[in-house]
Amino acid sequence: MLKERRHAAESIAEQLFAAEAAIDAAIAAVAALTARMPQARIEANLSPMIGHEAFMHASRTCSNLVEARGGICATHEALAVAQKQIGLGAVAFGSLQKLRLERPSHLHAVSEAA
């Protein structure tokens, strides 16, 4: 039974991390597009009215993607709760770097050289 739960959790974690990465990539792409639009308008010496509607749509899209990112973060947190509910609270999914970022420590590395 534990083996099946762990397999299910691993498959969910894999999809979750893929979704998080896809949303971040989409945010980066749309943000780059949104930033490029006014630069291109200036370079072409065009009126600010040219392409303004498109710029507004791109800006809203970026905002919507940021909101979606919040939703996937909430999904991640809810899945962490579910992980504990099915008895896998001690199992780590994902990279150790992600775990360090999610669970900050008050410990700091020190140098031996003084």
Side-chain angles (χ1 to χ4, degrees):
M1 185 79 162
L2 181 63
K3 183 178 177 180
E4 290 84 5
R5 284 182 284 166
R6 184 176 177 127
H7 178 71
E10 286 172 351
S11 70
I12 294 294
E14 186 178 308
Q15 283 300 134
L16 174 66
F17 299 147
E20 290 171 342
I23 291 172
D24 280 346
I27 291 170
V30 174
L33 169 65
T34 305
R36 184 67 189 123
M37 291 169 77
Q39 292 171 341
R41 183 202 59 80
I42 291 167
E43 290 166 5
N45 197 28
L46 297 170
S47 165
M49 291 185 277
I50 301 296
H52 182 72
E53 186 174 349
F55 181 70
M56 291 290 292
H57 286 298
S59 179
R60 282 190 206 112
T61 299
C62 193
S63 178
N64 290 339
L65 286 167
V66 170
E67 189 172 331
R69 188 178 193 273
I72 203 68
C73 288
T75 300
H76 193 137
E77 290 175 355
L79 285 170
V81 170
Q83 177 184 350
K84 290 177 182 78
Q85 291 172 338
I86 64 169
L88 296 175
V91 179
F93 297 98
S95 74
L96 291 177
Q97 184 63 30
K98 283 185 181 179
L99 291 175
R100 283 188 207 111
L101 292 174
E102 291 173 3
R103 296 177 184 91
S105 172
H106 297 290
L107 301 177
H108 300 284
V110 295
S111 172
E112 291 182 34

